[in-house]
Amino acid sequence: MKRLLLNLILFFILIGAVYSQKAYFVDGYHGGIYGHYPMWQTQFMVDKLTQHPEWRIGIEIEPETWDSVKVKEPSAYEAWRKIVMDKRIDFTNPTYAQPYCYNISGESLIRQFEYGIRKIHEHFPDVTFTTYSVEEPCFTSSLPQILKSFGFKYAVLKNPDTCWGGYTRAYGGELVNWIGPDGTSMLTVPRYACEELEENSTWQTKAWNNSESYLKACFDYGIKNPAGMCYQDAGWKNGPWLGYGDKIRNNSTYVTWTDYIENISIGKTDDDWRFSQEDILVDLMWGSQVLQRIAQEVRVSENKIVMAEKIASMVNIEKNYQMPESIDDAWRTLMMAQHHDSWIVPYNRLNKHRTWAEEITLWTGNTNKIADEVINAAIDQYDSKKRDNNGLGYVRVFNTLGISRSELVTVNLPQGLNGRDIAVYDAKTKKVVSVQQTDKNTSRLVFEADIPPFGYSTYLLKDREGKETGLSGITFSESGECVIENDMYRITFDVLKGGRIKSLISKKLGNKEFIDPNNTYGLGELRGFFYEDNRFYSSMENPVRITQLKDNALEKSILIEGEIASHPFTQIVTITKGQPQIDMDLTIDWEHNVGIGEYKQGDNWRDNRRAFHDDRFKLNIMFPVKLDNPQLYKNAPFDVCESRLENTFYNTWDSIKHNIILNWIDLVDKDEKYGFALLSDHTTSYSYGQDFPLGLTAQYSGKGLWGPDYKITRPLKMKYAIIPHTGNWDKANISAESNKWNEPLSAYFMSAIDLKDKSFINVHDSGYEIAAVKAEGNDLLVRLFNAEGSDSLEKITFNFPVKAIHQVELNGKAVSTLKMNKNSISISMPRFGIRTFRIEKQ
């Protein structure tokens, strides 16, 4: 009896100790007119703030929402405007469409903030943005420098009540210094090391409701001022999440994140957390056809729109071409396609007529249409439309990157030039660079072009008898092998085993062989677990048919036709003169829906154990390569991550690992002598670990997040490329090669133009990339990213009349005016740094 009494006394002492220490809570709302935002929500927030003066809210509402509220609920809108500057309200995520961040390009992420802040300021001009906080896992490693350049001071790495798509790694105490890849430091509230995932939940951490156990864990860990958080979905009618008045759970005090960090927390820390992309533990329905299609559509639009702005800027310099306002609408629809709901609930109905996935096709289609219109209107400024007597016409080829390039281009010529033998003359040398026969049906001409950095070259077309020929580079043997060979590679395909690559020899690397003949997996093999048949199927189980598509001096390509589990597939393999990448174009013509994954997922998709987590069981494209104990690198928005994972394998929600490929992955052997890079045409996942080679996720089919059946409804179509190389990823310029692959040279036929070449911006050998160039009135905005360079002083040349060059922040604030040496400047920035310059033209 005495022992029981003593235990009760100790229990109440413990509870009293918890209650005697202060706890804090950040409430708020997440959503918007596209995600979820009933029109009564605005007045509801105004009323509840009036009723409960102790309440505080963070706001993460799609900026476009306020357009609708202003029209549909004008009185509520005016009431909200009157209190919007109240310190009880904290705008914490102004991005236009609340993207996940890690799955889109760095430039897209900047535009999300730029357009979102602009829209909010249309309604509430005096609102400031101090602390970045979100309810979904909308994070990426490079955020500190982006946020700081937009004027943010602090960040929060918690998303306690909406972890369906993942969470950040638990680390640290009350505050940490989030160190970005470029070295930028931002004072941040982390998901505490003691902030465990909630028991019996697959969407929460313990910080979601300031429970006694959560607060005790925080105090025991040494956190003096613990804070919990929940951004409620707009439309929830709870009001203050933990209660109000004297009934607030565990005597918690409502705060905004900005007030908490500045006035309540310990205020500073010496805990520097070099936050890696692999500290973002996220998982979506990678491999499902719907998400694959969304990711591909977004990638195409991301590439098109930045190329349109860059080409339009070149024409602005020479012809004063002004960017049409439609470019803003193009960015708007692309940003909406990047909305986190687009990626995690693609089958949800966005409106009465279409799902998110269906809407994304329309949105990205609009972006692509406008981008094409901008380019066509811009280059039209060059063409006089009057045919001269010099030849058949001209081709102008644009290079949107800051480095010189020598690559194949394809141009569509007018009808009447089909099937003609055409000589292509270089503007500088006046010599023939190629003699090719145009396609008989489409009038397409392919030739090798040399283009200066961020500029164009012009070529004259004339009739020419005869055409260039090349030595035969494709051979077949009676033993069941096909060999494709050019100046770069000698590749042997095994006809009897699914068309796998049996030998891959890089001629430029001392005839290095990249295939281990003893490996049981095949390079290019398709492999996955078809759970309805309870077995793995492989494309290597069946012979294939290989036919020659192209065999000329410039290109060698073959068509592989085979089967996997009775479903036909084709793969086009292309190697190009002088180019390091080996291009693959895969199509699987599924005859019907089949189940692919670890097992058949039931309706218990909320369980911790799920069939769609372990990507080894999805259909993979396999890449076993002969490298000694290789290290894996992968790019991220304005970052390259050196992987620390032993493997990517997991099958439960509470053990997620970061296994995402944005643009590329690179395997480099331990001596950094050889490497093997993989480029993907969309954001997806990969598998890799001991006894399992690199695998690119190609297909999942079965039930998934939120319960729908992610069926196979159409053929699988995806493109990828491989690059065997020497040295580390930066020495091999893999980031630059990826940019070439995503921003190909753009060739356009013109009737009559000046036969000249032009380079507008040259970053020389700095390792910098031109992330964006856009014309704004008489100014140009140029953004550089140090992808592969050092922090030493580098020369940037502008080959057009310049009055002044100013470095500016992303929010437009002036940093400095740079000293010019004739038409050049010298700048330095750390690896993975970004810098934006406003160029005043003369």
Side-chain angles (χ1 to χ4, degrees), residues 163-166 201-203 283 285 597-602 604-615 617 650-654 656 700 703-706:
C163 301
W164 297 107
S201 170
T202 52
W203 67 92
D283 186 31
M285 294 304 300
E598 187 179 5
Y599 56 88
K600 184 175 182 179
Q601 176 69 52
N604 58 337
W605 62 271
R606 292 172 181 257
D607 288 358
N608 192 37
R609 181 76 163 84
R610 298 167 176 174
F612 47 85
H613 281 321
D614 195 335
D615 291 339
F617 291 86
Y650 66 93
N651 52 33
T652 59
W653 171 82
D654 61 5
I656 295 175
Y700 169 80
K703 288 193 174 182
L705 286 171
W706 307 102

mmCIF file of all heavy atoms in Angstrom, residues 163-166 201-203 283 285 597-602 604-615 617 650-654 656 700 703-706:
data_model
loop_
_atom_site.group_PDB
_atom_site.id
_atom_site.type_symbol
_atom_site.label_atom_id
_atom_site.label_comp_id
_atom_site.label_asym_id
_atom_site.label_seq_id
_atom_site.Cartn_x
_atom_site.Cartn_y
_atom_site.Cartn_z
ATOM 1 N N CYS A 163 2.115 13.853 -42.469
ATOM 2 C CA CYS A 163 3.324 13.140 -42.883
ATOM 3 C C CYS A 163 3.009 12.006 -43.849
ATOM 4 O O CYS A 163 3.794 11.066 -43.976
ATOM 5 C CB CYS A 163 4.050 12.576 -41.662
ATOM 6 S SG CYS A 163 4.548 13.793 -40.448
ATOM 7 N N TRP A 164 1.851 12.072 -44.510
ATOM 8 C CA TRP A 164 1.502 11.009 -45.452
ATOM 9 C C TRP A 164 2.616 10.812 -46.479
ATOM 10 O O TRP A 164 2.958 9.691 -46.836
ATOM 11 C CB TRP A 164 0.216 11.373 -46.194
ATOM 12 C CG TRP A 164 -0.998 11.513 -45.340
ATOM 13 C CD1 TRP A 164 -1.633 12.665 -44.992
ATOM 14 C CD2 TRP A 164 -1.759 10.455 -44.735
ATOM 15 N NE1 TRP A 164 -2.724 12.402 -44.209
ATOM 16 C CE2 TRP A 164 -2.830 11.056 -44.043
ATOM 17 C CE3 TRP A 164 -1.628 9.062 -44.709
ATOM 18 C CZ2 TRP A 164 -3.768 10.309 -43.338
ATOM 19 C CZ3 TRP A 164 -2.577 8.317 -44.006
ATOM 20 C CH2 TRP A 164 -3.625 8.941 -43.336
ATOM 21 N N GLY A 165 3.167 11.926 -46.962
ATOM 22 C CA GLY A 165 4.201 11.850 -47.976
ATOM 23 C C GLY A 165 5.609 11.877 -47.414
ATOM 24 O O GLY A 165 6.576 11.915 -48.175
ATOM 25 N N GLY A 166 5.734 11.847 -46.077
ATOM 26 C CA GLY A 166 7.051 11.786 -45.479
ATOM 27 C C GLY A 166 7.291 12.833 -44.412
ATOM 28 O O GLY A 166 6.364 13.556 -43.990
ATOM 29 N N SER A 201 -0.035 5.465 -36.094
ATOM 30 C CA SER A 201 -0.339 6.494 -37.085
ATOM 31 C C SER A 201 0.687 6.379 -38.210
ATOM 32 O O SER A 201 1.834 6.011 -37.973
ATOM 33 C CB SER A 201 -0.263 7.890 -36.456
ATOM 34 O OG SER A 201 -0.340 8.897 -37.452
ATOM 35 N N THR A 202 0.252 6.709 -39.410
ATOM 36 C CA THR A 202 1.192 6.782 -40.532
ATOM 37 C C THR A 202 1.101 8.158 -41.187
ATOM 38 O O THR A 202 1.293 8.292 -42.402
ATOM 39 C CB THR A 202 0.908 5.673 -41.569
ATOM 40 O OG1 THR A 202 -0.487 5.708 -41.924
ATOM 41 C CG2 THR A 202 1.267 4.308 -41.043
ATOM 42 N N TRP A 203 0.820 9.154 -40.361
ATOM 43 C CA TRP A 203 0.769 10.519 -40.890
ATOM 44 C C TRP A 203 1.142 11.585 -39.860
ATOM 45 O O TRP A 203 1.010 12.769 -40.121
ATOM 46 C CB TRP A 203 -0.620 10.823 -41.463
ATOM 47 C CG TRP A 203 -1.731 10.886 -40.443
ATOM 48 C CD1 TRP A 203 -2.182 11.989 -39.779
ATOM 49 C CD2 TRP A 203 -2.536 9.799 -39.984
ATOM 50 N NE1 TRP A 203 -3.207 11.661 -38.934
ATOM 51 C CE2 TRP A 203 -3.451 10.319 -39.040
ATOM 52 C CE3 TRP A 203 -2.579 8.433 -40.280
ATOM 53 C CZ2 TRP A 203 -4.396 9.521 -38.399
ATOM 54 C CZ3 TRP A 203 -3.521 7.649 -39.626
ATOM 55 C CH2 TRP A 203 -4.408 8.187 -38.706
ATOM 56 N N ASP A 283 8.223 9.812 -49.583
ATOM 57 C CA ASP A 283 7.841 8.665 -50.417
ATOM 58 C C ASP A 283 6.511 8.964 -51.086
ATOM 59 O O ASP A 283 5.537 9.316 -50.420
ATOM 60 C CB ASP A 283 7.719 7.406 -49.558
ATOM 61 C CG ASP A 283 7.473 6.164 -50.411
ATOM 62 O OD1 ASP A 283 7.947 6.131 -51.548
ATOM 63 O OD2 ASP A 283 6.804 5.239 -49.918
ATOM 64 N N MET A 285 4.051 7.704 -54.834
ATOM 65 C CA MET A 285 3.733 6.494 -55.583
ATOM 66 C C MET A 285 4.621 6.369 -56.818
ATOM 67 O O MET A 285 4.168 6.323 -57.969
ATOM 68 C CB MET A 285 2.252 6.493 -55.973
ATOM 69 C CG MET A 285 1.299 6.386 -54.788
ATOM 70 S SD MET A 285 1.612 4.934 -53.762
ATOM 71 C CE MET A 285 1.374 3.632 -54.946
ATOM 72 N N GLY A 597 4.710 -5.276 -57.862
ATOM 73 C CA GLY A 597 5.089 -4.749 -56.553
ATOM 74 C C GLY A 597 5.401 -5.905 -55.625
ATOM 75 O O GLY A 597 5.348 -7.074 -56.019
ATOM 76 N N GLU A 598 5.689 -5.595 -54.363
ATOM 77 C CA GLU A 598 6.098 -6.646 -53.440
ATOM 78 C C GLU A 598 4.983 -7.658 -53.197
ATOM 79 O O GLU A 598 5.234 -8.862 -53.105
ATOM 80 C CB GLU A 598 6.546 -6.040 -52.121
ATOM 81 C CG GLU A 598 7.143 -7.071 -51.171
ATOM 82 C CD GLU A 598 7.608 -6.483 -49.857
ATOM 83 O OE1 GLU A 598 7.389 -5.274 -49.635
ATOM 84 O OE2 GLU A 598 8.184 -7.234 -49.053
ATOM 85 N N TYR A 599 3.757 -7.182 -53.081
ATOM 86 C CA TYR A 599 2.594 -8.063 -52.923
ATOM 87 C C TYR A 599 1.355 -7.264 -53.269
ATOM 88 O O TYR A 599 1.422 -6.057 -53.528
ATOM 89 C CB TYR A 599 2.507 -8.626 -51.497
ATOM 90 C CG TYR A 599 2.473 -7.588 -50.406
ATOM 91 C CD1 TYR A 599 1.267 -7.022 -49.971
ATOM 92 C CD2 TYR A 599 3.649 -7.174 -49.775
ATOM 93 C CE1 TYR A 599 1.243 -6.078 -48.966
ATOM 94 C CE2 TYR A 599 3.635 -6.218 -48.763
ATOM 95 C CZ TYR A 599 2.421 -5.669 -48.369
ATOM 96 O OH TYR A 599 2.388 -4.714 -47.360
ATOM 97 N N LYS A 600 0.203 -7.910 -53.287
ATOM 98 C CA LYS A 600 -1.032 -7.217 -53.598
ATOM 99 C C LYS A 600 -1.466 -6.396 -52.395
ATOM 100 O O LYS A 600 -1.827 -6.936 -51.349
ATOM 101 C CB LYS A 600 -2.135 -8.218 -53.980
ATOM 102 C CG LYS A 600 -3.431 -7.532 -54.405
ATOM 103 C CD LYS A 600 -4.471 -8.536 -54.886
ATOM 104 C CE LYS A 600 -5.732 -7.820 -55.352
ATOM 105 N NZ LYS A 600 -6.745 -8.779 -55.845
ATOM 106 N N GLN A 601 -1.416 -5.085 -52.566
ATOM 107 C CA GLN A 601 -1.802 -4.193 -51.477
ATOM 108 C C GLN A 601 -3.309 -4.213 -51.312
ATOM 109 O O GLN A 601 -4.060 -4.025 -52.267
ATOM 110 C CB GLN A 601 -1.335 -2.759 -51.786
ATOM 111 C CG GLN A 601 -1.748 -1.721 -50.769
ATOM 112 C CD GLN A 601 -1.047 -1.894 -49.445
ATOM 113 O OE1 GLN A 601 0.170 -1.979 -49.376
ATOM 114 N NE2 GLN A 601 -1.828 -1.978 -48.379
ATOM 115 N N GLY A 602 -3.759 -4.448 -50.079
ATOM 116 C CA GLY A 602 -5.185 -4.432 -49.801
ATOM 117 C C GLY A 602 -5.665 -3.037 -49.450
ATOM 118 O O GLY A 602 -4.987 -2.038 -49.693
ATOM 119 N N ASN A 604 -5.773 -1.873 -46.640
ATOM 120 C CA ASN A 604 -5.072 -1.432 -45.435
ATOM 121 C C ASN A 604 -3.836 -0.589 -45.783
ATOM 122 O O ASN A 604 -2.772 -0.744 -45.192
ATOM 123 C CB ASN A 604 -4.653 -2.637 -44.589
ATOM 124 C CG ASN A 604 -3.768 -3.607 -45.358
ATOM 125 O OD1 ASN A 604 -3.796 -3.641 -46.588
ATOM 126 N ND2 ASN A 604 -2.971 -4.387 -44.633
ATOM 127 N N TRP A 605 -3.989 0.301 -46.748
ATOM 128 C CA TRP A 605 -2.863 1.112 -47.198
ATOM 129 C C TRP A 605 -2.381 2.075 -46.121
ATOM 130 O O TRP A 605 -1.290 2.621 -46.215
ATOM 131 C CB TRP A 605 -3.252 1.891 -48.455
ATOM 132 C CG TRP A 605 -4.383 2.863 -48.227
ATOM 133 C CD1 TRP A 605 -5.709 2.595 -48.354
ATOM 134 C CD2 TRP A 605 -4.272 4.213 -47.810
ATOM 135 N NE1 TRP A 605 -6.450 3.705 -48.041
ATOM 136 C CE2 TRP A 605 -5.587 4.719 -47.703
ATOM 137 C CE3 TRP A 605 -3.206 5.064 -47.511
ATOM 138 C CZ2 TRP A 605 -5.860 6.027 -47.317
ATOM 139 C CZ3 TRP A 605 -3.470 6.364 -47.114
ATOM 140 C CH2 TRP A 605 -4.784 6.832 -47.029
ATOM 141 N N ARG A 606 -3.183 2.293 -45.079
ATOM 142 C CA ARG A 606 -2.755 3.153 -43.970
ATOM 143 C C ARG A 606 -1.806 2.429 -43.019
ATOM 144 O O ARG A 606 -1.207 3.065 -42.151
ATOM 145 C CB ARG A 606 -3.967 3.645 -43.171
ATOM 146 C CG ARG A 606 -4.873 4.610 -43.916
ATOM 147 C CD ARG A 606 -6.139 4.865 -43.111
ATOM 148 N NE ARG A 606 -7.055 5.765 -43.795
ATOM 149 C CZ ARG A 606 -7.224 7.053 -43.489
ATOM 150 N NH1 ARG A 606 -6.528 7.573 -42.499
ATOM 151 N NH2 ARG A 606 -8.075 7.814 -44.138
ATOM 152 N N ASP A 607 -1.695 1.128 -43.154
ATOM 153 C CA ASP A 607 -0.815 0.384 -42.258
ATOM 154 C C ASP A 607 0.637 0.811 -42.459
ATOM 155 O O ASP A 607 1.014 1.330 -43.513
ATOM 156 C CB ASP A 607 -0.942 -1.121 -42.509
ATOM 157 C CG ASP A 607 -2.258 -1.686 -41.999
ATOM 158 O OD1 ASP A 607 -3.057 -0.913 -41.416
ATOM 159 O OD2 ASP A 607 -2.496 -2.893 -42.197
ATOM 160 N N ASN A 608 1.431 0.532 -41.442
ATOM 161 C CA ASN A 608 2.850 0.876 -41.521
ATOM 162 C C ASN A 608 3.551 0.082 -42.622
ATOM 163 O O ASN A 608 4.359 0.607 -43.372
ATOM 164 C CB ASN A 608 3.504 0.607 -40.159
ATOM 165 C CG ASN A 608 4.895 1.193 -40.055
ATOM 166 O OD1 ASN A 608 5.163 2.277 -40.568
ATOM 167 N ND2 ASN A 608 5.786 0.489 -39.384
ATOM 168 N N ARG A 609 3.207 -1.193 -42.737
ATOM 169 C CA ARG A 609 3.790 -2.081 -43.759
ATOM 170 C C ARG A 609 2.992 -1.955 -45.040
ATOM 171 O O ARG A 609 1.777 -2.130 -45.058
ATOM 172 C CB ARG A 609 3.751 -3.518 -43.242
ATOM 173 C CG ARG A 609 4.346 -4.551 -44.184
ATOM 174 C CD ARG A 609 5.882 -4.503 -44.163
ATOM 175 N NE ARG A 609 6.455 -5.722 -44.731
ATOM 176 C CZ ARG A 609 6.644 -5.914 -46.029
ATOM 177 N NH1 ARG A 609 6.294 -4.973 -46.898
ATOM 178 N NH2 ARG A 609 7.182 -7.028 -46.464
ATOM 179 N N ARG A 610 3.693 -1.658 -46.139
ATOM 180 C CA ARG A 610 2.989 -1.391 -47.384
ATOM 181 C C ARG A 610 3.712 -2.044 -48.554
ATOM 182 O O ARG A 610 4.930 -2.172 -48.561
ATOM 183 C CB ARG A 610 2.886 0.116 -47.632
ATOM 184 C CG ARG A 610 2.104 0.870 -46.567
ATOM 185 C CD ARG A 610 2.308 2.358 -46.692
ATOM 186 N NE ARG A 610 1.497 3.115 -45.753
ATOM 187 C CZ ARG A 610 1.581 4.428 -45.600
ATOM 188 N NH1 ARG A 610 2.447 5.116 -46.308
ATOM 189 N NH2 ARG A 610 0.806 5.042 -44.725
ATOM 190 N N ALA A 611 2.949 -2.387 -49.574
ATOM 191 C CA ALA A 611 3.511 -3.091 -50.728
ATOM 192 C C ALA A 611 4.252 -2.167 -51.677
ATOM 193 O O ALA A 611 5.047 -2.625 -52.491
ATOM 194 C CB ALA A 611 2.395 -3.803 -51.489
ATOM 195 N N PHE A 612 3.993 -0.855 -51.581
ATOM 196 C CA PHE A 612 4.538 0.057 -52.585
ATOM 197 C C PHE A 612 5.785 0.794 -52.104
ATOM 198 O O PHE A 612 6.216 1.769 -52.714
ATOM 199 C CB PHE A 612 3.475 1.079 -53.028
ATOM 200 C CG PHE A 612 2.722 1.740 -51.907
ATOM 201 C CD1 PHE A 612 3.222 2.864 -51.263
ATOM 202 C CD2 PHE A 612 1.490 1.244 -51.497
ATOM 203 C CE1 PHE A 612 2.526 3.474 -50.244
ATOM 204 C CE2 PHE A 612 0.780 1.854 -50.474
ATOM 205 C CZ PHE A 612 1.302 2.970 -49.845
ATOM 206 N N HIS A 613 6.389 0.339 -51.008
ATOM 207 C CA HIS A 613 7.589 1.006 -50.506
ATOM 208 C C HIS A 613 8.879 0.434 -51.093
ATOM 209 O O HIS A 613 9.766 1.190 -51.479
ATOM 210 C CB HIS A 613 7.655 0.893 -48.981
ATOM 211 C CG HIS A 613 6.764 1.852 -48.255
ATOM 212 N ND1 HIS A 613 6.572 3.144 -48.661
ATOM 213 C CD2 HIS A 613 6.017 1.699 -47.121
ATOM 214 C CE1 HIS A 613 5.750 3.755 -47.828
ATOM 215 N NE2 HIS A 613 5.392 2.898 -46.891
ATOM 216 N N ASP A 614 9.011 -0.874 -51.133
ATOM 217 C CA ASP A 614 10.282 -1.493 -51.529
ATOM 218 C C ASP A 614 10.372 -1.538 -53.046
ATOM 219 O O ASP A 614 9.769 -2.384 -53.712
ATOM 220 C CB ASP A 614 10.402 -2.898 -50.939
ATOM 221 C CG ASP A 614 11.830 -3.434 -51.017
ATOM 222 O OD1 ASP A 614 12.590 -2.981 -51.898
ATOM 223 O OD2 ASP A 614 12.178 -4.301 -50.200
ATOM 224 N N ASP A 615 11.169 -0.638 -53.590
ATOM 225 C CA ASP A 615 11.222 -0.482 -55.044
ATOM 226 C C ASP A 615 11.947 -1.612 -55.756
ATOM 227 O O ASP A 615 11.905 -1.699 -56.990
ATOM 228 C CB ASP A 615 11.883 0.854 -55.397
ATOM 229 C CG ASP A 615 11.016 2.039 -55.012
ATOM 230 O OD1 ASP A 615 9.803 1.855 -54.852
ATOM 231 O OD2 ASP A 615 11.551 3.151 -54.870
ATOM 232 N N PHE A 617 10.975 -4.503 -55.854
ATOM 233 C CA PHE A 617 9.936 -5.380 -56.388
ATOM 234 C C PHE A 617 9.164 -4.733 -57.535
ATOM 235 O O PHE A 617 8.428 -5.420 -58.238
ATOM 236 C CB PHE A 617 8.975 -5.790 -55.266
ATOM 237 C CG PHE A 617 9.601 -6.697 -54.250
ATOM 238 C CD1 PHE A 617 10.308 -6.176 -53.173
ATOM 239 C CD2 PHE A 617 9.505 -8.068 -54.364
ATOM 240 C CE1 PHE A 617 10.893 -7.004 -52.228
ATOM 241 C CE2 PHE A 617 10.085 -8.915 -53.429
ATOM 242 C CZ PHE A 617 10.788 -8.381 -52.366
ATOM 243 N N TYR A 650 13.499 -0.312 -47.941
ATOM 244 C CA TYR A 650 12.612 -0.185 -46.775
ATOM 245 C C TYR A 650 11.215 -0.618 -47.200
ATOM 246 O O TYR A 650 10.870 -0.586 -48.386
ATOM 247 C CB TYR A 650 12.591 1.252 -46.244
ATOM 248 C CG TYR A 650 11.987 2.263 -47.189
ATOM 249 C CD1 TYR A 650 10.645 2.606 -47.122
ATOM 250 C CD2 TYR A 650 12.769 2.885 -48.179
ATOM 251 C CE1 TYR A 650 10.094 3.534 -47.990
ATOM 252 C CE2 TYR A 650 12.228 3.804 -49.046
ATOM 253 C CZ TYR A 650 10.889 4.128 -48.949
ATOM 254 O OH TYR A 650 10.333 5.033 -49.821
ATOM 255 N N ASN A 651 10.420 -1.034 -46.253
ATOM 256 C CA ASN A 651 9.062 -1.460 -46.597
ATOM 257 C C ASN A 651 8.008 -0.974 -45.611
ATOM 258 O O ASN A 651 6.867 -1.436 -45.647
ATOM 259 C CB ASN A 651 8.977 -2.994 -46.738
ATOM 260 C CG ASN A 651 9.542 -3.723 -45.539
ATOM 261 O OD1 ASN A 651 9.446 -3.252 -44.409
ATOM 262 N ND2 ASN A 651 10.145 -4.890 -45.783
ATOM 263 N N THR A 652 8.379 -0.039 -44.725
ATOM 264 C CA THR A 652 7.418 0.530 -43.780
ATOM 265 C C THR A 652 7.494 2.042 -43.803
ATOM 266 O O THR A 652 8.539 2.637 -44.109
ATOM 267 C CB THR A 652 7.681 0.036 -42.343
ATOM 268 O OG1 THR A 652 9.012 0.396 -41.953
ATOM 269 C CG2 THR A 652 7.495 -1.470 -42.240
ATOM 270 N N TRP A 653 6.390 2.673 -43.435
ATOM 271 C CA TRP A 653 6.313 4.135 -43.421
ATOM 272 C C TRP A 653 7.289 4.735 -42.425
ATOM 273 O O TRP A 653 7.835 5.822 -42.659
ATOM 274 C CB TRP A 653 4.874 4.547 -43.078
ATOM 275 C CG TRP A 653 4.710 6.021 -42.833
ATOM 276 C CD1 TRP A 653 4.561 6.998 -43.768
ATOM 277 C CD2 TRP A 653 4.670 6.667 -41.561
ATOM 278 N NE1 TRP A 653 4.443 8.224 -43.154
ATOM 279 C CE2 TRP A 653 4.502 8.052 -41.795
ATOM 280 C CE3 TRP A 653 4.758 6.222 -40.230
ATOM 281 C CZ2 TRP A 653 4.409 8.985 -40.757
ATOM 282 C CZ3 TRP A 653 4.676 7.146 -39.201
ATOM 283 C CH2 TRP A 653 4.498 8.515 -39.465
ATOM 284 N N ASP A 654 7.539 4.060 -41.325
ATOM 285 C CA ASP A 654 8.394 4.630 -40.289
ATOM 286 C C ASP A 654 9.883 4.388 -40.549
ATOM 287 O O ASP A 654 10.717 4.688 -39.705
ATOM 288 C CB ASP A 654 8.004 4.118 -38.900
ATOM 289 C CG ASP A 654 8.148 2.605 -38.765
ATOM 290 O OD1 ASP A 654 8.641 1.949 -39.703
ATOM 291 O OD2 ASP A 654 7.742 2.073 -37.711
ATOM 292 N N ILE A 656 11.333 5.186 -43.857
ATOM 293 C CA ILE A 656 11.561 5.731 -45.195
ATOM 294 C C ILE A 656 13.023 6.154 -45.372
ATOM 295 O O ILE A 656 13.632 6.715 -44.461
ATOM 296 C CB ILE A 656 10.633 6.942 -45.451
ATOM 297 C CG1 ILE A 656 9.164 6.501 -45.463
ATOM 298 C CG2 ILE A 656 10.970 7.610 -46.782
ATOM 299 C CD1 ILE A 656 8.183 7.657 -45.582
ATOM 300 N N TYR A 700 4.999 0.558 -61.219
ATOM 301 C CA TYR A 700 4.294 -0.075 -60.103
ATOM 302 C C TYR A 700 2.832 -0.139 -60.495
ATOM 303 O O TYR A 700 2.306 0.762 -61.161
ATOM 304 C CB TYR A 700 4.441 0.734 -58.807
ATOM 305 C CG TYR A 700 3.513 0.266 -57.706
ATOM 306 C CD1 TYR A 700 3.835 -0.853 -56.951
ATOM 307 C CD2 TYR A 700 2.315 0.921 -57.448
ATOM 308 C CE1 TYR A 700 2.981 -1.308 -55.952
ATOM 309 C CE2 TYR A 700 1.448 0.471 -56.453
ATOM 310 C CZ TYR A 700 1.792 -0.636 -55.714
ATOM 311 O OH TYR A 700 0.935 -1.088 -54.724
ATOM 312 N N LYS A 703 -2.733 -1.012 -55.442
ATOM 313 C CA LYS A 703 -3.303 0.020 -54.597
ATOM 314 C C LYS A 703 -2.204 0.816 -53.912
ATOM 315 O O LYS A 703 -1.098 0.328 -53.690
ATOM 316 C CB LYS A 703 -4.248 -0.580 -53.559
ATOM 317 C CG LYS A 703 -5.561 -1.071 -54.149
ATOM 318 C CD LYS A 703 -6.591 -1.369 -53.084
ATOM 319 C CE LYS A 703 -7.937 -1.720 -53.731
ATOM 320 N NZ LYS A 703 -8.982 -1.973 -52.713
ATOM 321 N N GLY A 704 -2.535 2.077 -53.588
ATOM 322 C CA GLY A 704 -1.537 2.934 -52.983
ATOM 323 C C GLY A 704 -2.152 3.974 -52.074
ATOM 324 O O GLY A 704 -3.253 3.783 -51.537
ATOM 325 N N LEU A 705 -1.433 5.082 -51.897
ATOM 326 C CA LEU A 705 -1.873 6.140 -51.002
ATOM 327 C C LEU A 705 -3.305 6.574 -51.297
ATOM 328 O O LEU A 705 -3.683 6.749 -52.451
ATOM 329 C CB LEU A 705 -0.936 7.339 -51.121
ATOM 330 C CG LEU A 705 0.454 7.204 -50.469
ATOM 331 C CD1 LEU A 705 1.343 8.373 -50.872
ATOM 332 C CD2 LEU A 705 0.319 7.121 -48.957
ATOM 333 N N TRP A 706 -4.076 6.704 -50.229
ATOM 334 C CA TRP A 706 -5.472 7.130 -50.274
ATOM 335 C C TRP A 706 -6.399 6.098 -50.895
ATOM 336 O O TRP A 706 -7.581 6.384 -51.102
ATOM 337 C CB TRP A 706 -5.617 8.489 -50.981
ATOM 338 C CG TRP A 706 -4.717 9.513 -50.382
ATOM 339 C CD1 TRP A 706 -3.538 9.966 -50.879
ATOM 340 C CD2 TRP A 706 -4.885 10.168 -49.119
ATOM 341 N NE1 TRP A 706 -2.964 10.862 -50.024
ATOM 342 C CE2 TRP A 706 -3.767 11.014 -48.929
ATOM 343 C CE3 TRP A 706 -5.875 10.124 -48.128
ATOM 344 C CZ2 TRP A 706 -3.601 11.810 -47.811
ATOM 345 C CZ3 TRP A 706 -5.709 10.915 -47.012
ATOM 346 C CH2 TRP A 706 -4.589 11.745 -46.854
#
